[in-house]
Amino acid sequence: MKIAVLGGDGFCGWPTSLHLSEQGHEIHIIDNLSRRWIDTELGVQSLTPMDSIQERCRIWKTLTGNELHFHLLDLAKEYERLRQWLAEEKPDAIIHFAEQRAAPYSMKSDRHKVYTVNNNVNATHNLLTAMVETGIDAHLVHLGTMGVYGYSSVGAAIPEGYLDVEIENLEGEKKGLEILYPTKPGSVYHMTKSLDQILFQFYAQNDGVRITDLHQGIVWGTHTDQTRRHEQLINRFDYDGDYGTVLNRFLIQAAIDYPLTVHGTGGQTRAFIHLQDSVRCIELALSDAPKAGDRVKIFNQMTETHRVRDLAEMIARMTGAKVAYLPNPRKEAEANDLIVRNEQFLALGLDPTTLQEGLLDEVVEVAKKYAHRIDRSRVPAVSAWTKDIAKRVETDPEGKRLKSVS
Ligand code: NAD
Ligand code: USQ
């Protein structure tokens, strides 16, 4: 297949591009490199030394003979170029990773909120309307988030995207109805993914666009089979308070002897998936495309759930790290249950890599190797969800904010 990987320079997009290229697909990476600019804005860098996208592509070609085509294009701002590219190249599948994906970054300030909404919603809508306008018959696979469901305890398993409900009609009869599971986003970023869902529903129903939306959990790990093959193929690894995600952060914190930064009581339960399984799921989703006229196919792309506090205690036992319970910069429930259905990927043959399978050590080893690149002052998460929260989240570069001052 000819596959466009939008956001193919990012943490998930790069290993996905390599994985699909190795399988013989023709890969076109489209990226505006905004994530690299955001590193510059924030004054942080990936824990791992990343080469330019052009250099990464060159190394891959030298190793495998496979070409990765790179196109510098902003999906949110360059509609005409996007439409022209689709009309000329007519990809068979489009994988859409190209959004601003950090919840803390999306809550930093009004400017960051506006940027995240403009970038993410326009990128998705430009893509959908350009697909319709050019009449290409491509399968769109979008990376959404488990966070669209929200994190309140409902005492029931979260289904894969849709919920069967019963409503009473005017005659008092009960009628069955299938609806998109009600969204309850916890950040502006998660809100944009909820808006994406409505855009997908409309374009699938109105124009027959074939769409798969992957509600992905938190991706952990750094290497895949392909990124391990050469040091210049190494993947991005975010550790800072805005872009680092919880499990990867705890692992690098353990590696540099920094207290593990648990927010609040650590009672939040979240869904997780290893990066290797994430790329495999995308391959599986591509093999199971919906037909024109089908509703949007939604998968829950996760393999296990864990409570944040349990993860911190497990890593502390494994490495001897200390755990710091900090005032939570986010507005979120102190604790939540989370049971998630994911039968569709299991039925397609996913064999999950769990936390128990030794790959935690691999991340700690990578972090130790590149520990000299870590700026400890950028480890604390300081982007607060509201002005009131900002007042009580004090920052201490060594993560010793052990008590809330409220
Ligand atoms: P990332 O920030 O590392 O990669 C996103 C890429 O998209 C970057 O290379 C960026 O430059 C590019 N991009 C952003 N806006 C663009 C635009 N307007 N035009 C062109 N390119 C643009 O993020 P990631 O961790 O690889 O996540 C990829 C996708 O997966 C995101 O949509 C995210 O919401 C989703 N996701 C990620 C995780 C996770 O834990 N990392 C979990 C669930 C879902
Ligand atoms: N947390 C800590 N300590 C930290 C960092 C986070 O306790 O140092 C807590 C947070 O308060 C939150 C939980 O861990 O309760 C998860 O935070 P996170 O930063 O790991 O994940 P999140 O903000 O939800 O976002 C990440 C990705 C996003 C993706 C989402 C999937 O950045 O792109 O959509 O995971 S999910 O969480 O399933 O919605």
Side-chain angles (χ1 to χ4, degrees):
M1 280 197 279
K2 183 188 273 192
I3 303 177
V5 183
L6 316 180
D9 187 45
F11 171 65
C12 299
W14 174 242
T16 302
S17 301
L18 298 185
H19 180 78
L20 296 174
S21 170
E22 183 141 276
Q23 294 190 328
H25 298 292
E26 180 182 327
I27 302 299
H28 292 259
I29 292 175
I30 293 186
D31 204 298
N32 66 349
L33 307 183
S34 53
R35 181 66 195 86
R36 292 179 186 250
W37 280 108
I38 291 175
D39 270 348
T40 306
E41 172 201 343
L42 297 176
V44 293
Q45 58 180 353
S46 163
L47 164 75
T48 48
M50 291 162 69
D51 278 0
S52 69
I53 181 66
Q54 293 87 344
E55 179 65 4
R56 291 168 132 189
C57 294
R58 186 186 70 81
I59 296 291
W60 180 247
K61 186 165 181 201
T62 310
L63 273 182
T64 65
N66 296 347
E67 186 121 21
L68 292 170
H69 307 267
F70 170 61
H71 312 275
L72 182 67
L73 193 153
D74 188 323
L75 293 179
K77 293 189 182 150
E78 296 182 284
Y79 175 74
E80 294 302 331
R81 281 190 65 216
L82 171 65
R83 187 172 55 122
Q84 202 179 335
W85 189 85
L86 291 176
E88 279 165 16
E89 295 290 341
K90 298 187 178 49
D92 303 297
I94 300 172
I95 309 173
H96 176 23
F97 294 99
E99 294 182 81
Q100 190 301 100
R101 70 107 177 122
Y105 183 85
S106 78
M107 302 301 288
K108 267 185 118 51
S109 73
D110 54 349
R111 182 175 74 74
H112 295 89
K113 291 177 188 178
V114 169
Y115 167 74
T116 302
V117 171
N118 286 346
N119 186 64
N120 294 3
V121 178
N122 282 329
T124 301
H125 188 259
N126 283 352
L127 175 62
L128 287 163
T129 195
M131 287 175 74
V132 172
E133 188 60 25
T134 52
I136 58 165
D137 180 29
H139 172 203
L140 170 59
V141 176
H142 170 252
L143 273 292
T145 174
M146 283 296 303
V148 295
Y149 301 117
Y151 290 111
S152 45
S153 299
V154 284
I158 294 185
E160 302 204 65
Y162 296 94
L163 188 66
D164 290 322
V165 296
E166 214 175 51
I167 51 168
E168 204 173 280
N169 70 10
L170 295 173
E171 283 75 44
E173 298 156 339
K174 304 265 193 234
K175 293 282 178 193
L177 189 67
E178 186 192 69
I179 57 169
L180 275 174
Y181 194 94
T183 61
K184 204 175 177 201
S187 71
V188 165
Y189 154 71
H190 287 99
M191 183 183 76
T192 64
K193 295 283 179 175
S194 303
L195 296 171
D196 282 347
Q197 281 204 116
I198 310 288
L199 301 178
F200 295 140
Q201 188 182 46
F202 175 77
Y203 279 95
Q205 157 199 306
N206 195 65
D207 299 285
V209 181
R210 298 184 295 123
I211 304 171
T212 298
D213 197 6
L214 304 173
H215 289 185
Q216 184 164 243
I218 300 169
V219 182
W220 69 279
T222 180
H223 283 313
T224 60
D225 292 342
Q226 289 75 32
T227 64
R228 278 190 198 92
R229 303 243 299 259
H230 191 284
E231 60 174 335
Q232 284 176 274
L233 296 177
I234 202 160
N235 200 18
R236 146 182 292 288
F237 188 111
D238 299 309
Y239 70 88
D240 62 283
D242 284 320
Y243 275 88
T245 52
V246 64
L247 177 53
N248 275 358
R249 270 166 65 73
F250 287 171
L251 291 166
I252 72 99
Q253 290 166 355
I256 62 166
D257 197 21
Y258 192 105
L260 310 187
T261 55
V262 174
H263 294 166
T265 62
Q268 310 86 345
T269 303
R270 293 291 182 271
F272 293 85
I273 183 166
H274 188 269
L275 185 62
Q276 183 73 58
D277 285 351
S278 173
V279 301
R280 168 90 175 119
C281 283
I282 289 159
E283 174 197 342
L284 293 172
L286 285 171
S287 71
D288 195 40
K291 296 188 296 299
D294 284 357
R295 66 172 194 184
V296 177
K297 187 175 270 192
I298 300 178
F299 291 83
N300 288 339
Q301 184 162 314
M302 49 72 68
T303 53
E304 53 194 325
T305 59
H306 292 282
R307 199 161 56 162
V308 167
R309 179 168 70 229
D310 297 341
L311 287 179
E313 282 164 10
M314 181 186 74
I315 294 166
R317 276 196 304 277
M318 187 180 116
T319 62
K322 293 192 187 65
V323 179
Y325 287 88
L326 306 172
N328 195 341
R330 306 186 184 201
K331 188 165 186 169
E332 57 186 1
E334 267 202 9
N336 66 286
D337 297 333
L338 185 62
I339 309 159
V340 183
R341 306 197 70 138
N342 66 342
E343 286 90 349
Q344 293 184 104
F345 272 132
L346 299 177
L348 287 176
L350 177 69
D351 178 17
T353 304
T354 62
L355 255 55
Q356 306 310 326
E357 290 182 23
L359 290 170
L360 294 168
D361 284 335
E362 181 181 64
V363 181
V364 176
E365 286 314 309
V366 170
K368 283 188 175 153
K369 179 169 178 195
Y370 296 109
H372 58 281
R373 291 174 52 88
I374 296 177
D375 177 349
R376 297 174 80 91
S377 73
R378 310 319 302 265
V379 173
V382 296
S383 297
W385 258 231
T386 65
K387 289 187 175 130
D388 285 347
I389 293 175
K391 280 186 212 140
R392 66 181 158 81
V393 175
E394 290 180 338
T395 59
D396 171 345
E398 285 302 307
K400 287 171 191 146
R401 296 173 288 143
L402 293 178
K403 280 195 302 244
S404 166
V405 287
S406 67

